[in-house]
Amino acid sequence: MIDIKIKNIKKTFFTVKRGKVEALKGIDLEIPAGKFFVLLGPSGCGKSTLLNIIAGIERLSEGKIYFGEKLVASSDEKIFLSPKERDVAMVFQSYALYPHLTVYENIAFPLKIARLDKDKLDEKVKWAADILEIKNILNAKPGELSGGQRQRVALGRAIVREPNLLLLDEPLSNLDALLRITMRSELRSIQRKLELTTIYVTHDQTEAMSLGDKISVLKDGVVQQIGTPEEIYNNPANLFVAKFIGSPPMNILNENLVRHLNDQLHFLESKSLENVVVGIRPEKIKIVNKDEGIINAKIKMSWSPGGDSLYYLEAERNEILAKSSEIENIKDNDDVGLKFGKDDLLIFDREN
Amino acid sequence: MREERIIKLLKTLGVIFLLVFCLFPFLWMIFISLNKNPDFLSPQIEFVLTFRNYFEVATSNKFHLWDYLMNSLVVSVASAILATFFASLSAYSITRLKFPGRIVIPLLLLGFSMFPQIAIVGYLFGMITDFGWLNSYAALVFPYITLGLPLALWIMLSYFSQLSTELDKAALIDGASRLQILFKIILPLSLPALFSTFILTLIYSFNEFLFALMLTTDYHGRTIPVGIALFEGLHGQIPWGYIMAASVIAVIPVLILIALFQKYIIQGLTEGAVKG
Amino acid sequence: MERSKTNISGETKTAYLFNAPLIITAVIFVLIPVIGTIVTSLMRDVTFLPEKFLVFENYQRLFSDRHFFESLQFTLLFVVVSVSFELIFGLAFALLLNETLPFRGFLRVVILIPWVIPIAISARIWELIYNFNYGIFNYIILQLNISDQPVSWLGSSIGAFAAVVVSDVWKTTPFMAIILLTGLSAINRDLYKQARIDGTNFLQRFFKITLPLLKPVLVVALLYRSIDAIRIFDLIYVLTGGGPGGSTSSLSIYAFNYYVSGDFGYGSAVSVIVFLAAGLLSVLYIKFGKFRETLQ
């Protein structure tokens, strides 16, 4: 169990087509020992690059990385420990199972390289297989397994070494929806049981929110916010985080509506209209009878996936999505009122 | 890390070795062609730059450079076009139509491609003579087509099988005949494969030697590989300068091809030889 | 259900039509000549002599023909040595080209050069390089004082063998390299990343991952090249003519010489032997190459 400190990591590389690309522009992170830490961000934000750098399969251009007290990588002191020396384990999106080896041999591979003696090796492989519940397929080859099984083998290979650090690069993206949800909780319980410091990369914010002890949102190589799921959801640091997190996504209100609301709720205080962007999450909007709310709106469309009701409505020429956990008796084209408070609004400075 | 530096060193050495390995004879050919006196047992290497070799060999009446070149080009291009065409027809029918022999034909052709040319050329000589084709373009074009067919077929098969048959179905409903579908829809969509096939069969035909040696008898029909192979001097002294100059001229067309179309060539080879 | 012979479906008819050019050409210019050669091998077919059907007399002659066996020996030795070197160099180049290198496109063009130069032409270049009087090899040997006598490369049987092998390896290594490169690039890159994380060094990665996963392609490439090498003719004809003293006379050259001297029957018999040898390897090639599966 080890904590990880990442200081000011920058990564620049040169491509023929686009010239100089700054994949990471100065990342600072602290991952507490034994915690499940998520790197969340859209494609191209640098999360996989960061993971590779932490693993040691890519070199950082600038910065330092500490595993516990040990400096494993530093641009100034020119230290770059190999993955083997860092004692990390990693699971790739494609699982990277050795197709010509059996499940047993796949899991045993790192131990064999480390020259563990036969009996200990066998013991450890069976231990890992037990935890992942794959004892019955130890003799099969990856080609014969289902996606879910392959995923478990990949995990088995990772935990068998009881590494300092477990790195996961979108390991669940190739699974179907139902399997993904089951694997999520299994992954979490295994991690807790083994108290493995874990870094998990994903672009799926639902996944991040349900898995992470702590989340770091990345965009274009820069950390946007670090916090617990609740912190990120309720207090997004900027517009990007607010729009990225939350399903369905937050509504952005247009100037008209903002002015109208401000007249009633007075939330702008000293800020002027041109300098802010105001949003509100769909589930914070309560639908009431006409004229009983803050503003009036007209229902354009409604539907009920699962147990929620979603309403597409128009207020002050603004199209807004509202979500309610009850199924209301509202029909299309009804005129209704919307009720919410000053604290439900999320206000951001307008970044140019 | 030490390992990283070792790898880097190996890579650099590897590239140098590759360059030397591949380019040495080639550069040597150019060097000799430009040299007045290629005798290396004289005290120093003399390099006197001269284009005389090129001039002489290009205007010589004894060495029919341009005849050879022309024959080579005509024969290669013709056989390449026909081979590509025949292969496309077959590949289309194999991937789109059901008929007995679908699987047999490619396997058969594969088997044919393994026949040693020597086992064919003896009897072929007799046949060609009987047809009256000896020393003509036909003598070479047809055998060359069969040389190129196996690879051509596998490339086109591989490519066509990746094209969805929905296009054909739509066209059939629109009333098109199979031939029309092939020419108006499938072939236009297969330009990369057609191109690769054409270039590869062209190269194979251009380089062919044994058939050309046996089935042609003089400069009217001979191709350039044979011409250069048989180029001997007048007085027992082999005119290396001329030979190399002629070789350089002969090699220019193919070199231009690979410089421009390296991608297609490699793609075609791998489609046909590995995945096929 | 009865299938009337006259009621071939339109589809089948079209298919036969589409395949006609290919089949007809292949039959006339490949199948018939091969059958013809086999038949000729069973006959006495010598210019100026009346033809006679002999059955196996040519073959019996072969079995007691010392030169034939020398030829066979040379060919087999050549195949083994050449293909081995081509494999090693080809693999080395393929591994190199598989890495991200600057000027990759340029390197790929360079590597194609030996392969696209017509073999007759490259044979002449090598002929010059090995030349006793004018060759660069002898020049270097003399200059560097490795020996005070120029080496007669093409004049000694060992020298000629080496010369033929070197020239053949030069010409066909690119082809091997490209085939192997395809095999290499099919290996999932993540496997290497994973292996690095699992603690391997680069030699271990080569032997535990690259080689096992490359094996199918290696075997196919090996067989294909062997089939090709067994029928070698062009290079030897131009470089050594089969000499000195018939020591570099491959089976194809041996057959050819008989054709040229007019004994088509005997030449055909030798050709049939080459055909059988290549055929044997081809059966293995088709079996290992999984062509049937690809056809589905």
Side-chain angles (χ1 to χ4, degrees):
Chain A
M1 237 191 22
I2 232 173
D3 68 341
I4 314 284
K5 289 191 202 43
I6 294 170
K7 295 192 197 280
N8 195 30
I9 302 256
K10 294 194 186 153
K11 174 76 183 177
T12 320
F13 53 91
F14 301 90
T15 62
V16 180
K17 287 187 192 158
R18 293 173 292 160
K20 189 164 122 170
V21 175
E22 280 182 76
L24 297 170
K25 299 176 185 157
I27 308 275
D28 287 282
L29 291 175
E30 265 192 50
I31 295 133
K35 293 289 179 199
F36 199 108
F37 191 92
V38 177
L39 289 176
L40 172 66
S43 306
C45 68
K47 53 195 196 294
S48 288
T49 310
L50 182 57
L51 207 69
N52 288 346
I53 288 178
I54 298 175
I57 49 184
E58 262 186 68
R59 285 202 175 203
L60 41 72
S61 309
E62 239 185 272
K64 295 187 209 269
I65 302 181
Y66 288 91
F67 280 21
E69 294 305 316
K70 191 168 167 192
L71 182 61
V72 303
S74 162
S75 56
D76 295 332
E77 288 138 82
K78 304 238 185 271
I79 297 179
F80 298 105
L81 263 53
S82 69
K84 182 178 185 163
E85 291 162 316
R86 298 188 198 197
D87 193 24
V88 292
M90 191 155 167
V91 177
F92 290 88
Q93 190 173 0
S94 66
Y95 313 141
L97 295 181
Y98 305 122
H100 54 300
L101 303 177
T102 63
V103 167
Y104 183 98
E105 289 163 345
N106 262 281
I107 299 180
F109 191 80
L111 302 179
K112 231 173 144 207
I113 300 289
R115 309 230 184 152
L116 211 60
D117 76 73
K118 243 182 93 177
D119 296 317
K120 277 226 91 186
L121 184 146
D122 189 68
E123 205 184 295
K124 290 203 145 202
V125 173
K126 298 236 166 83
W127 166 78
D130 215 10
I131 296 185
L132 269 322
E133 294 175 16
I134 43 176
K135 262 192 151 149
N136 56 328
I137 49 170
L138 281 176
N139 286 324
K141 288 225 175 121
E144 307 160 33
L145 305 176
S146 72
Q149 288 171 319
R150 283 188 213 158
Q151 222 260 356
R152 285 163 190 274
V153 177
L155 265 172
R157 181 176 53 186
I159 64 173
V160 81
R161 305 158 47 187
E162 295 183 275
N164 274 333
L165 177 62
L166 176 61
L167 303 173
L168 303 148
D169 195 343
E170 312 215 38
L172 306 181
S173 341
N174 290 343
L175 302 175
D176 62 65
L178 188 58
L179 203 49
R180 216 179 297 166
I181 298 180
T182 6
M183 278 313 295
R184 254 185 236 167
S185 48
E186 244 195 78
L187 191 55
R188 213 34 184 115
S189 66
I190 293 178
Q191 184 264 340
R192 270 197 205 109
K193 180 165 151 195
L194 300 177
E195 292 180 326
L196 272 175
T197 311
T198 305
I199 305 182
Y200 186 99
V201 161
T202 181
H203 62 273
D204 182 342
Q205 51 100 27
T206 332
E207 207 165 72
M209 299 293 276
S210 52
L211 279 174
D213 288 325
K214 245 185 165 181
I215 302 177
S216 164
V217 181
L218 261 86
K219 178 180 179 243
D220 294 333
V222 180
V223 173
Q224 306 293 312
Q225 185 174 4
I226 306 179
T228 64
E230 294 75 41
E231 285 166 11
I232 296 200
Y233 187 78
N234 294 320
N235 296 322
N238 60 33
L239 192 57
F240 172 78
V241 178
K243 288 208 286 186
F244 193 74
I245 308 273
S247 180
M250 175 186 79
N251 293 298
I252 305 244
L253 310 177
N254 71 15
E255 261 193 41
N256 255 344
L257 189 52
V258 174
R259 197 181 299 122
H260 188 119
L261 289 172
N262 192 38
D263 292 338
Q264 307 206 356
L265 298 173
H266 309 290
F267 50 80
L268 281 181
E269 294 166 19
S270 50
K271 301 199 186 130
S272 67
L273 241 131
E274 301 88 56
N275 292 339
V276 298
V277 178
V278 180
I280 183 166
R281 294 207 184 275
E283 51 280 7
K284 302 278 188 194
I285 302 177
K286 196 159 177 313
I287 300 189
V288 295
N289 291 327
K290 182 172 165 174
D291 294 325
E292 284 179 27
I294 306 251
I295 49 168
N296 283 336
K298 196 185 191 79
I299 307 275
K300 311 282 316 252
M301 205 160 65
S302 64
W303 64 112
S304 311
D308 298 323
S309 301
L310 289 172
Y311 302 98
Y312 207 46
L313 26 85
E314 194 185 293
E316 303 273 341
R317 279 178 277 126
N318 216 158
E319 285 177 342
I320 297 182
L321 199 62
K323 178 162 124 174
S324 160
S325 48
E326 296 146 23
I327 300 184
E328 324 250 1
N329 187 13
I330 302 172
K331 297 183 302 293
D332 291 359
N333 277 312
D334 277 359
D335 287 307
V336 294
L338 302 179
K339 189 165 174 196
F340 47 83
K342 183 160 80 169
D343 299 326
D344 296 320
L345 293 171
L346 295 168
I347 303 166
F348 304 99
D349 294 327
R350 188 184 289 274
E351 303 142 28
N352 43 324
Chain B
M1 285 181 285
R2 259 188 69 225
E3 188 181 278
E4 266 188 30
R5 271 197 287 157
I6 298 181
I7 295 183
K8 225 174 177 189
L9 186 67
L10 282 178
K11 272 202 227 183
T12 325
L13 285 179
V15 171
I16 296 179
F17 179 65
L18 192 150
L19 288 173
V20 169
F21 180 94
C22 295
L23 292 178
F24 165 56
F26 174 67
L27 293 175
W28 191 246
M29 166 180 74
I30 300 180
F31 177 73
I32 295 285
S33 71
L34 294 172
N35 191 357
K36 185 157 168 231
N37 182 4
D39 182 345
F40 285 102
L41 286 185
S42 54
Q44 297 98 341
I45 293 193
E46 262 174 40
F47 183 63
V48 179
L49 177 68
T50 172
F51 289 103
R52 200 189 68 169
N53 294 325
Y54 287 95
F55 183 71
E56 304 252 341
V57 90
T59 56
S60 157
N61 285 325
K62 288 213 144 278
F63 181 73
H64 308 269
L65 176 67
W66 304 108
D67 292 292
Y68 293 145
L69 214 47
M70 170 68 92
N71 295 338
S72 269
L73 284 173
V74 168
V75 164
S76 320
V77 171
S79 57
I81 294 179
L82 289 173
T84 309
F85 177 54
F86 290 1
S88 303
L89 283 175
S90 274
Y92 182 78
S93 69
I94 292 175
T95 55
R96 259 90 177 134
L97 306 171
K98 288 202 183 352
F99 63 98
R102 263 177 81 209
I103 304 192
V104 177
I105 292 181
L107 285 179
L108 211 65
L109 218 61
L110 190 63
F112 282 8
S113 71
M114 308 273 116
F115 290 179
Q117 295 89 327
I118 193 77
I120 299 175
V121 80
Y123 194 78
L124 193 63
F125 177 74
M127 268 175 69
I128 296 282
T129 316
D130 291 341
F131 288 175
W133 284 358
L134 202 64
N135 208 37
S136 74
Y137 286 157
L140 293 181
V141 170
F142 286 103
Y144 285 2
I145 294 177
T146 60
L147 267 187
L149 273 178
L151 187 63
L153 184 66
W154 282 93
I155 295 179
M156 298 313 295
L157 268 181
S158 164
Y159 198 82
F160 281 176
S161 57
Q162 289 169 27
L163 289 177
S164 155
T165 51
E166 311 230 313
L167 295 164
D168 305 63
K169 292 183 189 152
L172 280 174
I173 292 179
D174 285 341
S177 74
R178 286 289 180 183
L179 203 63
Q180 286 175 314
I181 298 179
L182 176 64
F183 276 98
K184 289 183 184 297
I185 301 179
I186 303 290
L187 286 185
L189 288 176
S190 312
L191 288 178
L194 282 176
F195 208 48
S196 299
T197 310
F198 177 75
I199 294 181
L200 280 171
T201 45
L202 188 90
I203 294 179
Y204 274 125
S205 301
F206 192 82
N207 295 357
E208 203 282 332
F209 183 73
L210 178 54
F211 285 179
L213 182 66
M214 275 198 85
L215 303 176
T216 60
T217 51
D218 65 29
Y219 69 91
H220 290 298
R222 284 226 161 106
T223 56
I224 200 128
V226 180
I228 290 184
L230 299 180
F231 193 164
E232 304 284 337
L234 276 176
H235 313 288
Q237 276 251 25
I238 304 182
W240 289 110
Y242 295 167
I243 295 180
M244 292 302 139
S247 301
V248 170
I249 296 178
V251 155
I252 287 177
V254 233
L255 283 180
I256 296 180
L257 270 185
I258 65 170
L260 293 176
F261 303 122
Q262 153 261 116
K263 197 177 76 158
Y264 290 105
I265 296 176
I266 295 189
Q267 227 170 334
L269 274 180
T270 58
E271 290 275 342
V274 180
K275 296 184 191 159
Chain C
M1 190 169 77
E2 243 187 75
R3 185 144 12 128
S4 154
K5 276 236 175 107
T6 55
N7 190 23
I8 309 176
S9 81
E11 222 181 64
T12 319
K13 233 186 342 192
T14 319
Y16 285 152
L17 224 76
F18 273 42
N19 281 297
L22 181 142
I23 302 268
I24 294 177
T25 321
V27 165
I28 297 181
F29 293 97
V30 178
L31 192 60
I32 293 187
V34 169
I35 296 178
T37 303
I38 297 179
V39 169
T40 314
S41 73
L42 302 174
M43 297 172 31
R44 181 181 71 183
D45 184 356
V46 181
T47 344
F48 304 128
L49 287 179
E51 272 183 27
K52 198 166 85 160
F53 193 72
L54 294 176
V55 198
F56 292 125
E57 213 175 282
N58 283 324
Y59 291 99
Q60 284 169 331
R61 205 171 126 201
L62 267 183
F63 274 114
S64 45
D65 184 349
R66 185 174 61 106
H67 294 296
F68 169 71
F69 282 105
E70 280 168 7
S71 211
L72 184 64
Q73 190 184 17
F74 166 78
T75 310
L76 290 177
L77 194 63
F78 168 75
V79 170
V80 169
V81 174
S82 250
V83 177
S84 307
F85 276 116
E86 284 155 24
L87 204 69
I88 297 175
F89 283 124
L91 187 57
F93 286 157
L95 288 170
L96 192 62
L97 289 175
N98 198 31
E99 304 280 320
T100 35
L101 298 166
F103 308 118
R104 215 154 151 211
F106 171 70
L107 288 175
R108 286 178 172 207
V109 172
V110 166
I111 208 177
L112 282 178
I113 289 180
W115 184 69
V116 295
I117 295 185
I119 195 156
I121 292 181
S122 59
R124 295 231 83 180
I125 302 177
W126 285 104
E127 196 189 332
L128 179 57
I129 293 177
Y130 285 118
N131 188 291
F132 189 73
N133 293 314
Y134 305 126
I136 183 75
F137 276 2
N138 277 347
Y139 178 76
I140 294 177
I141 288 179
L142 287 177
Q143 286 294 319
L144 295 182
N145 282 320
I146 299 179
S147 147
D148 54 349
Q149 288 287 341
V151 177
S152 172
W153 298 95
L154 301 177
S156 72
S157 52
I158 296 186
F161 181 82
V164 169
V165 168
V166 168
S167 313
D168 190 64
V169 168
W170 183 76
K171 179 149 221 309
T172 49
T173 298
F175 183 78
M176 266 297 222
I178 292 177
I179 303 294
L180 293 176
L181 182 61
T182 315
L184 280 180
S185 46
I187 301 179
N188 184 2
R189 295 257 183 201
D190 281 351
L191 286 179
Y192 291 115
K193 285 195 207 162
Q194 182 64 263
R196 282 173 71 187
I197 291 184
D198 285 343
T200 56
N201 64 38
F202 109 94
L203 274 178
Q204 284 172 315
R205 291 198 286 276
F206 177 72
F207 283 105
K208 285 180 184 293
I209 299 180
T210 312
L211 270 191
L213 292 177
L214 197 60
K215 206 163 64 151
V217 177
L218 263 175
V219 171
V220 171
L222 209 89
L223 284 173
Y224 184 85
R225 263 305 302 157
S226 302
I227 296 172
D228 227 18
I230 259 193
R231 30 188 192 169
I232 183 148
F233 176 84
D234 307 6
L235 176 64
I236 298 186
Y237 181 82
V238 179
L239 190 61
T240 63
S247 59
T248 60
S249 185
S250 73
L251 288 173
S252 293
I253 295 263
Y254 195 64
F256 179 79
N257 286 334
Y258 277 98
Y259 284 154
V260 161
S261 67
D263 191 345
F264 278 84
Y266 198 57
S268 298
V270 180
S271 304
V272 169
I273 301 288
V274 185
F275 175 61
L276 287 175
L280 207 80
L281 286 173
S282 308
V283 168
L284 290 174
Y285 176 61
I286 294 186
K287 189 168 138 213
F288 279 100
K290 303 190 198 164
F291 293 102
R292 284 188 166 260
E293 291 168 23
T294 323
L295 280 175
Q296 264 353 300

